[in-house]
Every structure is written in structure tokens, then in C-alpha cells.
Amino acid sequence: MRKAVGDGKGKAPRAAAARGRAGRPRKSGPADPAPASSAKAKLEKLGIRREFDLVLHLPLRYEDETRLTAIAEAREGAPVQVEGTVIDSKIAYRPRRQLVCSIEDDSGLLYMRFLNFYGSQAKALAPGARVRAFGEVRPGFFGAEMVHPRYRIVREDAPLPEALTPVYPTTAGLPQASLRRMIATALAQCELDETLPADIPPRFGMPAFRDAIDALHRPRPGDDARELTGRTHPAWRRMKLDELLAQQLSMRLHYRERKSKTAPALGQAGALTADLLRRLPFRLTRAQARAWAEIERDLGEVHPMHRLLQGDVGSGKTVVAALAALRAVENGMQAAVMAPTEILAEQHYRKFSEWLAPMGVQLTWLSGGQKKKERDAAAADIATGATRVAVGTHALFQEGIVFNSLGLAIVDEQHRFGVEQRLALRAKGSGRRGASGSEPHQMMMSATPIPRTLSMSYYADLDVSLIDELPPGRTPVVTKLIAAERRDEVLARVSAACREGRQAYWVCPLIEDLSLEPDAGPGKARTRGRGGGRGKADALQLQNVIDTHARLAAEFAQLSVGLVHGRLAPQDKAAVMADFAAGRVQLLVATTVIEVGVDVPNASLMIIEHAERFGLAQLHQLRGRVGRGAADSVCILLYQKPLGELARARLKAVYESTDGFEIARQDLSLRGPGEYLGVRQSGAPMLRFADIERDLDLLEAARELALQLLQHHPQQAQRHLARWMAGKSELMKA
Ligand code: ADP
Ligand code: MG
């Protein structure tokens, strides 16, 4: 019994054969023998879970079977339909076993060739049979031929279809014909009523829902295949608008739901924030002041803030976070500051200590790398409320850490955290003393700018503050592209910079293990160790950075060369970073552990080895580690030739721009939202039809429409959501 189940699952050869056939849709193939349960699994693979999903399963393209082409007129390059009588049909064995069948019409002769075929097919294609075949004609082994055409045995004068034939996206073992049948049934059975107010679609020059669905699944005679396939047809635009509208509605509802929850109001402006502002060695930039004002206002509300503080690397987000934390403290609540890496968390701890400790605010450090005794002590202080501000890694939000009265949670580099962590954070509630059901305010920070299209779509549930200027006195980092064979020049630059009392970073690349995804960018590092596949790449990477360090230490005997990588014990990491921050280490050889947030203003030179292997956002982040002081800074991208097309595009983008937004925009267009959003994608349903860049006008329209619908037609809004999002919006609650 057990064995039988196992066999059922592991039908590899059969599945492979099925895949071979499924590539060529055909009508008269043998019936698919797969049982119903496996058909369900296949539909699920296509994202089809309910009957209505079949209605929304739209054609990939269309084939024109409304016309017949004379065999002699058929040209290469475009599929045609021909009709002829079988002259000869035989199984040939050279060059391999295949069914070869010749058909003839008044104009000429054509071969049909099948590499996979059933005996029943060979029989049906007997001489004298009349065949209608659809495919591309090519010069072949035997003469002009169609390989694996879709064909049908017909009677003489069988009528031609009057409209285009839709071709659906499908999966192995699910023939077009079955899918078409299922879709036709769904179209007949499902309610296709309008969810928009009747005047809306015509305003956009679009058909009603039912008409749009009909136009796409059942093209009318005379419809043009290219226009329908190109997704610019009004019916297509209607589908995209509907999809975007559903996304907007769901984001909007989520936003409202948050606004109906309670959070502790942190509205009292006390002495602490004023004191910090007075004692800072600089004035807030206008952008910082504006962001702080927005946050300040939100914190005073009795509903949880979910605000994203965005600002390019070096724009000064940390001080705004410190002000927000102090505001919680002034109001008798605790604040927590969480960063994705030990190095970054440690740096925040130092910075916050420098700013807050003189005011008598008790800070507590908590991380996974701590000894149990220290961690227990930290946890105890957090629980009693002795701790006013806790700083650490995600260990802060693990089970067993109970806050006394958490008023504000600050998450730095939020894009590096997954949805699960955001949920864990919310589950902390506002602690023992907070009202039950009350949530802490959340402030997220990110230096990975979110292009406007994304913040209008996938991030529409968050409020966003933007720091769009850098503190004064910064000179932009000069970026240089240097081929690896000119490494000596780079060494000379490092020497010169260090002689002048400056410091430099030397970043070693990710080692790509071919068994992994090609672009193991930030965020993916999170899954490290789970699958085990990362192990080898990690070991290689470690060896590489150790070797590079040894080599550079030998080449720069007169300099102090430090080494930092992810495998160092946390206290060793911290020690090296402290040495670098204090200037005791002049050249720091590092892996991407320094990618986020590290702030050592005296460092003015950044060397990135094998820059072609890094992601665009990563390069920009790394470059942001320099140019933080008054000195002119340089970032050198060392690359290995030959460059692939994508690598070239990435290097060109960083070379040409230092503007994080422009880089993010390019990154988005090079990678697409799925890749770009990284971990967040598990929390936001991806769009199937609309493209937020190309369909920006529809995205804007959908945003307006969502507000209008929620206000004036809430029931239709619900109906629309149910139609497009059934089962999916749960994922978005994070
Ligand atoms: P990021 O936004 O990348 O986190 P940081 O908060 O680390 O940037 O700030 C970068 C550097 O700029 C820090 O050394 C910080 O002290 C300094 N800084 C922040 N705000 C100002 C300001 N208004 N004027 C001058 N320097 C500032
Ligand atoms: Mg930062």
C-alpha cells in the first residue's frame, strides 16, 4: 500500500513524457488518463483553486484557425492552417522512430512529422483521411513539413471556426482541450455580474466585466490576434484595472483595520527629546525635521502607527529613530530598536548610548550572540521596565522576551526582515502594563528606496515619511569602474588614502554556488542554513575573504588590516568594528556583513571586488558606507571580464547615478517586483496581469477608484475583493 502511494507520486518518466507533449497543443490527442485528483493538483499549479479562477485564467495568445492557407502559399515564420488529404503515412526509423505522414491539397504536398505518437494516431492518419493541420511550415528532412502540428480529422466542407482560438497558459499533463472545456463550463456557470458602478468602465473606455471576459475567452469573428495578445485591447485593460483595484481595496481595508486598533498615545513632548535636539552637534535637516514631525503626530494618536521612514544611505535616519524612542520614554513607555545584523544593532547601541545615556535613560543590549546569563539579565530588565530602550537583533522579539510596556518598536532596514518577524513584533502587544489588545506603534526604516509605483501598490498599507536630502557638507562619492587586471592601481590608491589618515573598506564578493538562485541578494541570506545548500558557498566565501585578507595584509605590511565576516563570534566582530571606528584598523577586509548601516565617517575609500556579482541595491548600499565625512570619497568597482549583459547594466546604473531612487527604479525594472520585493512578496499578492510600471495610469486610476468605492459602494467593493482575492488577502495582514 505504502509503496503504491510512493509510486504514484514519483511518476517521473510519465510526467516527463507528458511535458514533451504538452508543449504542442493539439485537439485530437488521446484522452488524458490522469485521475481527477491530479487534475486538481495541476489546476492548483496554475493558481486555479475555485471555479471562478478559471474565468480569470486568461489566454496567453490566440491562434487564427478561421482561414485555410494553400500548402504552396505557406511561408516560414508564422503558423498557418492547411487542409489536405493523407497520401501516405508510415513509421520511419531514421533519423529516429517517428510517424511521417504526407498530405496534399490542390497546390502542393506537405509532411507532418510526429516524434511522440500513439498507435491510434498512426491508424487515424491513414491514406485518404482528410486532415486540417495548424502549425508552422519549415523546410525539413523530407521536404516542407510541420513538426507536431495540432491537427484534426475532418469531413469535407467541415465549417471553419468563426473566431480566433484562445491558447491558455497550462502545465504538464493538462491539455489545452481539457482546459478549454473547463473554462467554457465555468463561463456558463459563474456569475459574471458587474462589480463597478455602471458609469465607471465607459469612463475609461472599457467594456463591462462580462463583455471583457467574453471578448478575451471567446474572441469575435474579425478580432485581430495581435491586438488581443498584446494586452492593450480595452478588454485586457479592464482586467488589469480590476486586478489593481482589488489590490488597492485590500491594502486600503488593511489600513483601515489598523486605524481601528488601539495603541498607547505618546503625545506628551517632554524634556528628553528637546534635550537631545539641543545637544546634537548638528541641526536636523529640513527633511529630517519634517519626517520627525510626521512621526511625532502619529505617535500621539491612539491607533498604531505603521510608518516607513525612507531615506537614502547617509540621510540621517538614526537620529530620527532616537527622537521617536525618547518620545516613548517621555510618555512612560518602552521603546525597542531592532536591526537585522549584530554589527548594525551593535552600532545602534553605541550611538544610542552616546546620545541617551547622558540623560539617564537606561539602555539594554540584547542579541542572540550573548551569553545566556547576560541575556537573562537583559530579559529581566526588559520585563521589569528598568530598561527604557532595548536595542538588539531579532532576538528582541523572540519568545520569552516580555516587555513591561512597549510603546514603540523601531525596525531598521525593514526590507531585510520577513513578514513573520513583523507578526512576532505585533504579538508582543504593548506589554504587561499596556491595555489588552493594544499594539505598539511601529516605525520601519529603509535605505532601499521604494519606487513610487511600488509604494502606491505593494506598500500602500504603510504611511511613508521621506528624508530626501543629505546632511550638508557631503561631497558625492565618485564611482570608478576598474577592470581586475588593473588591481595594482587600486592598491596604490589604498596606500595613498591611508597615508593621509583616511580609512578604506575592501569588500569580497558572494561566491555563487550554481545550485542556488543566481542572485542571492539581501534578504535571501535569511534562509541560510535551513536548506543546507548554502553551506558550500558559505565555506568558499569564507575562504575567499580570509585569503584576500592574508594577501592584502602582506601587500600592505605597513598598514593595519582588519578582517570581518559573518562567521566571526559576535564579540570578535564587535571588536574589529570598534577598532575600525576608532581608526586603529586602517583597511577593513569584509564580506557583505558591512552592507547595511555601518557608519564610520573617516572611511573614504570603498573597494568592491567582483562588483559584477553584486546586486544593484547592494552596490549602492556598500557605496553608501563612504562619503559620510567631509573628505572626498571614492568607490571603486573592480570587475572581472567578460561581463554578462545584466551585470553590465547593473554596473552602468551604479556608475551613472548616486541617487538611491533612480537606482531603485532601475533595480526594479531589471529584476521585476517579485524579485525586488524579496521577503515581502510572501505577504503581498503578486499581480498577474497588470504591470505597475507599464500600467501606471491604471494603477493611479485604481487608487482613486478604491477610495470612491469604499466610500460610496462598500458592498460592491467587498464583492470585487471576493472575486479577485478569495483566499489571498489573509496573507496581507502582516
Ligand atoms: P542612515 O540614514 O544611512 O541610517 P545615519 O543615521 O547613519 O544615516 O547618518 C549618517 C551620518 O550623518 C551619521 O554620522 C550622523 O550622525 C550624521 N548626521 C545625521 N543627521 C545629520 C545632520 N542633520 N547634519 C549633519 N550630520 C548628520
Ligand atoms: Mg542606518
Side-chain angles (χ1 to χ4, degrees):
M1 184 67 217
R2 216 149 244 268
K3 187 156 188 310
V5 171
D7 282 347
K9 279 194 178 155
K11 273 196 218 159
R14 213 196 159 273
R19 199 166 309 127
R21 277 181 280 123
R24 277 149 198 117
R26 64 167 94 161
K27 272 184 176 158
S28 62
D32 186 46
S37 69
S38 103
K40 192 164 170 254
K42 279 166 194 146
L43 287 173
E44 198 133 330
K45 241 187 184 168
L46 297 171
I48 301 171
R49 280 172 207 91
R50 3 154 243 173
E51 187 161 45
F52 204 86
D53 292 334
L54 282 163
V55 173
L56 298 179
H57 193 69
L58 300 177
L60 206 56
R61 59 191 167 83
Y62 299 85
E63 280 173 355
D64 189 351
E65 296 175 307
T66 61
R67 279 175 299 160
L68 288 176
T69 302
I71 287 176
E73 304 290 312
R75 297 280 164 266
E76 255 182 274
V80 291
Q81 181 171 241
V82 299
E83 188 173 312
T85 309
V86 176
I87 302 298
D88 185 30
S89 177
K90 61 169 187 277
I91 295 172
Y93 290 89
R94 254 172 295 163
R96 53 180 279 202
R97 184 173 184 272
Q98 52 188 299
L99 175 64
V100 181
C101 171
S102 54
I103 60 170
E104 191 182 50
D105 69 3
D106 293 344
S107 73
L109 185 86
L110 177 79
Y111 288 92
M112 302 199 297
R113 203 145 63 84
F114 302 90
L115 299 168
N116 295 305
F117 60 95
Y118 291 88
S120 56
Q121 271 178 283
K123 243 188 236 145
L125 289 170
R130 196 168 181 82
V131 176
R132 206 170 267 174
F134 189 93
E136 226 178 282
V137 175
R138 295 190 307 210
F141 190 76
F142 303 95
E145 66 173 17
M146 276 186 186
V147 179
H148 278 266
R150 188 147 50 77
Y151 71 92
R152 207 150 36 127
I153 309 286
V154 290
R155 260 176 295 146
E156 198 152 357
D157 297 327
L160 287 163
E162 287 183 358
L164 299 170
T165 312
V167 179
Y168 293 100
T170 187
T171 183
L174 184 62
Q176 282 292 323
S178 321
L179 199 49
R180 272 189 206 128
R181 250 189 330 266
M182 289 187 265
I183 289 172
T185 311
L187 288 176
Q189 286 178 355
C190 289
E191 186 88 64
L192 302 179
D193 57 329
E194 185 56 77
T195 53
L196 298 183
D199 61 315
I200 300 281
R203 227 204 290 152
F204 291 102
M206 293 173 185
F209 181 75
R210 174 190 304 279
D211 297 339
I213 283 290
D214 217 48
L216 295 173
H217 285 294
R218 296 187 280 237
R220 273 173 282 256
D223 274 350
D224 180 55
R226 248 165 314 169
E227 199 199 344
L228 275 182
T229 305
R231 302 202 169 187
T232 50
H233 191 279
W236 258 119
R237 284 177 51 84
R238 171 67 209 259
M239 291 300 119
K240 293 174 176 186
L241 178 72
D242 273 27
E243 181 182 42
L244 288 164
L245 177 62
Q247 186 197 42
Q248 291 295 317
L249 286 171
S250 125
M251 291 285 188
R252 227 39 244 176
L253 286 174
H254 178 218
Y255 187 89
R256 285 191 178 183
E257 190 187 303
R258 167 156 65 82
K259 293 288 179 194
S260 69
K261 291 192 174 136
T262 57
L266 308 173
Q268 293 299 329
L272 296 174
T273 41
D275 201 22
L276 176 62
L277 284 171
R278 204 164 36 242
R279 289 188 309 108
L280 283 174
F282 50 75
R283 291 169 62 97
L284 294 187
T285 60
R286 234 178 326 154
Q288 280 171 316
R290 192 180 51 226
W292 167 231
E294 287 163 359
I295 291 162
E296 195 173 25
R297 197 191 52 220
D298 280 5
L299 290 176
E301 304 266 327
V302 292
H303 307 296
M305 166 176 89
H306 281 196
R307 189 171 278 275
L308 180 66
L309 176 60
Q310 264 195 265
D312 209 345
V313 286
S315 61
K317 296 180 289 294
T318 318
V319 68
V320 179
L323 286 165
L326 282 177
R327 176 54 49 85
V329 176
E330 288 173 338
N331 284 270
M333 303 290 284
Q334 295 171 297
V337 183
M338 172 164 84
T341 66
E342 296 251 347
I343 287 184
L344 187 53
E346 165 82 27
Q347 180 181 288
H348 281 329
Y349 183 65
R350 262 189 286 125
K351 200 94 200 175
F352 273 64
S353 301
E354 181 190 316
W355 284 333
L356 275 48
M359 303 178 196
V361 174
Q362 168 145 10
L363 282 150
T364 296
W365 166 250
L366 192 116
S367 88
Q370 249 170 338
K371 293 206 184 70
K372 183 170 178 339
K373 223 174 104 191
E374 290 165 0
R375 200 165 43 195
D376 288 348
D381 284 349
I382 290 171
T384 60
T387 300
R388 304 318 298 158
V389 179
V391 182
T393 58
H394 61 270
L396 271 176
F397 295 103
Q398 256 145 30
E399 249 171 273
I401 306 294
V402 180
F403 282 82
N404 183 271
S405 52
L406 183 63
L408 169 67
I410 297 171
V411 183
D412 196 8
E413 303 298 343
Q414 77 88 28
H415 63 286
R416 308 263 306 217
F417 288 101
V419 170
E420 317 91 72
Q421 273 130 332
R422 275 178 72 185
L423 284 172
L425 188 157
R426 172 158 341 152
K428 287 284 158 200
S430 52
R432 290 188 178 152
R433 282 183 32 228
S436 71
S438 168
E439 282 184 11
H441 295 281
Q442 280 188 39
M443 170 172 163
M444 288 142 282
M445 299 195 279
S446 178
T448 300
I450 302 167
R452 193 170 78 94
T453 49
L454 278 187
S455 66
M456 278 170 63
S457 51
Y458 295 99
Y459 284 83
D461 57 331
L462 297 181
D463 293 304
V464 178
S465 289
L466 181 61
I467 305 186
D468 56 1
E469 71 183 311
L470 294 179
R474 302 265 174 89
T475 37
V477 180
V478 173
T479 305
K480 292 184 186 296
L481 282 166
I482 298 186
E485 64 249 31
R486 287 164 57 202
R487 189 169 175 275
D488 285 351
E489 282 171 43
V490 177
L491 294 182
R493 275 179 176 275
V494 173
S495 270
C498 292
R499 252 200 321 273
E500 285 168 24
R502 309 256 143 242
Q503 292 166 276
Y505 296 95
W506 191 292
V507 179
C508 297
L510 279 174
I511 303 291
E512 282 176 28
D513 180 333
L514 292 181
S515 66
L516 297 167
E517 304 108 302
D519 197 352
K524 289 197 182 137
R526 254 176 6 101
T527 56
R528 175 174 302 202
R530 248 184 249 162
R534 199 57 243 181
K536 201 168 123 219
D538 269 354
L540 280 172
Q541 178 165 348
L542 185 62
Q543 196 51 50
N544 179 51
V545 71
I546 289 170
D547 291 348
T548 306
H549 173 254
R551 183 170 170 197
L552 289 168
E555 282 165 329
F556 294 116
Q558 76 286 9
L559 297 181
S560 146
V561 184
L563 170 64
V564 64
H565 55 73
R567 289 290 179 86
L568 284 184
Q571 61 271 27
D572 295 338
K573 246 188 265 181
V576 179
M577 290 313 293
D579 282 345
F580 189 63
R584 289 188 293 273
V585 162
Q586 293 162 290
L587 174 63
L588 184 64
V589 179
T591 53
T592 49
V593 295
I594 61 139
E595 177 195 339
V596 288
V598 171
D599 183 36
V600 178
N602 191 49
S604 64
L605 184 56
M606 165 67 64
I607 320 287
I608 304 175
E609 226 182 329
H610 282 294
E612 76 279 0
R613 295 186 193 165
F614 290 85
L616 196 41
Q618 232 177 349
L619 289 172
H620 179 65
Q621 282 277 337
L622 285 167
R623 177 171 58 185
R625 300 310 109 215
V626 295
R628 308 191 139 233
D632 289 349
S633 295
V634 176
C635 173
I636 295 175
L637 306 175
L638 268 175
Y639 65 91
Q640 192 77 50
K641 285 186 268 194
L643 285 177
E645 199 176 316
L646 199 59
R648 182 183 301 275
R650 285 197 297 250
L651 292 181
K652 183 165 178 285
V654 242
Y655 176 73
E656 285 177 352
S657 178
T658 52
D659 174 358
F661 274 91
E662 175 54 24
I663 288 187
R665 212 186 51 70
Q666 300 243 9
D667 202 18
L668 177 61
S669 82
L670 287 174
R671 291 200 284 168
E675 270 278 307
Y676 186 90
L677 290 166
V679 292
R680 192 184 162 89
Q681 89 175 48
S682 55
M686 286 287 125
L687 297 164
R688 282 184 293 163
F689 305 136
D691 174 322
I692 50 173
E693 298 287 313
R694 234 173 308 146
D695 302 316
L696 180 61
D697 62 324
L698 294 177
L699 175 57
E700 276 164 348
R703 201 155 69 138
E704 291 273 305
L705 210 50
L707 293 175
Q708 217 179 308
L709 233 58
L710 285 173
Q711 188 164 10
H712 303 296
H713 310 275
Q715 250 141 21
Q716 270 160 294
Q718 284 300 346
R719 173 119 183 80
H720 189 85
L721 261 180
R723 172 172 283 176
W724 283 86
M725 292 256 175
K728 288 182 205 153
S729 51
E730 265 310 298
L731 285 169
M732 305 213 320
K733 298 271 162 72

